[in-house]
Amino acid sequence: MSEATTTTVADAVADALARVDLDALRRTYRDQSEFVYLERWLPAPLVARMVAEVERVRPAINRNYIPRHKKGGSVSFHTLVEQAPTILALYRAPAFIAFLESVTGARLQPCPPSDPHACALYFYTEPGDHIGFHFDTSYYRGARYTVLVGIVERSSSRLVCQLHKRDPARRPVELALATHPGTFILFNGDTLWHAITPLGENEERVSLTLEYVTDPSMHPVKRLFSNLKDAVAYFGFRAVFRRAARA
Ligand SMILES: [Fe+2]
């Protein structure tokens, strides 16, 4: 990763952070059972660089279809690490990680480089592409937090979130969000029940997810289960198991 890219991303993050009321964001995050979003938050020049990287990695999309659960395409961390320096610089930016720690109250680090989900792009490009309700369950020994960034939004699809799903003391609240370019969403994967509604004709939606963990270790049985799920549902067997063998 070039020093110029790292500096550009660090400047963009500083610019975004200057526009945030951190105390208010922390409160909202807690009040919403570990979920928060900032609409069109990341600066446009940074988003433009990420859109260019989305176009560059398009030939590497792996499409999957699991009846009644998901249909769509993905590009894994392994491809992004080679072809998407801006996205990688954002994923690893120390000021960005410190900001996430400050909002969540957890000590965070990027996922191990063997994890294809560490940071990944999700492409909704064909009518009906969607993902059903799920948690971003952590197979790590610690908690896992998801950052979702809107990159391309030319769709009627919505990110539907049910807040307080695991808090019996609170009434569930449902949000349906468009993920416009630069929109930032942060949540604890084990607490937010969420889905993406089906894409319409001639629409497109591309989102980026960045995953952070409190403890990067994983029980070997959970590692195998996690690899199988990634191979079937996201990135393909060759990509997942060849990389896992190398790791
Ligand atoms: Fe998810």
Side-chain angles (χ1 to χ4, degrees):
M1 193 180 307
S2 82
E3 210 169 294
T5 303
T6 307
T7 306
T8 303
V9 170
D11 289 348
V13 168
D15 174 14
L17 291 178
R19 288 181 279 107
V20 163
D21 179 344
L22 198 50
D23 286 339
L25 199 63
R26 255 191 234 117
R27 265 197 309 277
T28 306
Y29 180 80
R30 258 200 323 271
D31 290 350
Q32 296 191 135
S33 297
E34 298 189 85
F35 167 86
V36 81
Y37 77 101
L38 294 168
E39 202 168 357
R40 301 179 200 263
W41 177 56
L42 290 171
L46 176 66
V47 176
R49 291 172 75 111
M50 294 197 285
V51 169
E53 290 177 359
V54 162
E55 294 313 313
R56 191 182 306 155
V57 303
R58 223 175 250 276
I61 295 176
N62 189 73
R63 282 195 57 86
N64 294 92
Y65 173 45
I66 300 175
R68 291 198 298 276
H69 179 57
K70 86 180 275 285
K71 183 164 88 74
S74 328
V75 169
S76 76
F77 173 76
H78 309 311
T79 300
L80 298 184
V81 90
E82 287 164 5
Q83 298 186 39
T86 306
I87 289 172
L88 259 291
L90 176 64
Y91 182 47
R92 292 169 174 164
F96 188 64
I97 297 173
F99 162 68
L100 302 175
E101 290 183 324
S102 170
V103 177
T104 58
R107 284 290 288 167
L108 298 179
Q109 55 185 297
C111 294
S114 56
D115 185 339
H117 281 287
C119 75
L121 287 165
Y122 300 96
F123 289 77
Y124 300 77
T125 55
E126 297 183 6
D129 281 1
H130 75 287
I131 183 161
F133 273 102
H134 65 283
F135 293 105
D136 287 0
T137 305
S138 174
Y139 295 101
Y140 289 92
R141 288 198 166 93
R144 188 172 74 155
Y145 295 81
T146 298
V147 171
L148 191 155
V149 178
I151 305 284
V152 176
E153 181 54 287
R154 288 190 291 269
S155 82
S156 54
S157 285
R158 292 293 176 265
L159 168 68
V160 182
C161 303
Q162 286 185 11
L163 310 185
H164 318 309
K165 182 79 175 172
R166 287 192 155 150
D167 184 350
R170 310 225 14 210
R171 219 185 254 194
V173 171
E174 190 164 294
L175 304 175
L177 306 171
T179 49
H180 296 294
T183 291
F184 162 93
I185 291 163
L186 167 64
F187 57 89
N188 181 331
D190 284 316
T191 62
L192 186 74
W193 185 239
H194 59 285
I196 303 286
T197 61
L199 197 79
E201 295 277 346
N202 302 313
E203 295 184 347
E204 182 170 51
R205 177 182 182 280
V206 183
S207 62
L208 168 69
T209 64
L210 314 171
E211 304 283 354
Y212 298 89
V213 290
T214 55
D215 178 349
S217 66
M218 194 183 284
H219 189 280
V221 172
K222 287 196 170 177
R223 166 58 66 200
L224 179 63
F225 182 75
S226 175
N227 282 344
L228 283 170
K229 191 167 84 74
D230 288 344
V232 172
Y234 292 95
F235 308 113
F237 276 87
R238 230 172 43 155
V240 171
F241 282 96
R242 204 176 49 190
R243 300 286 177 161
R246 272 190 216 157

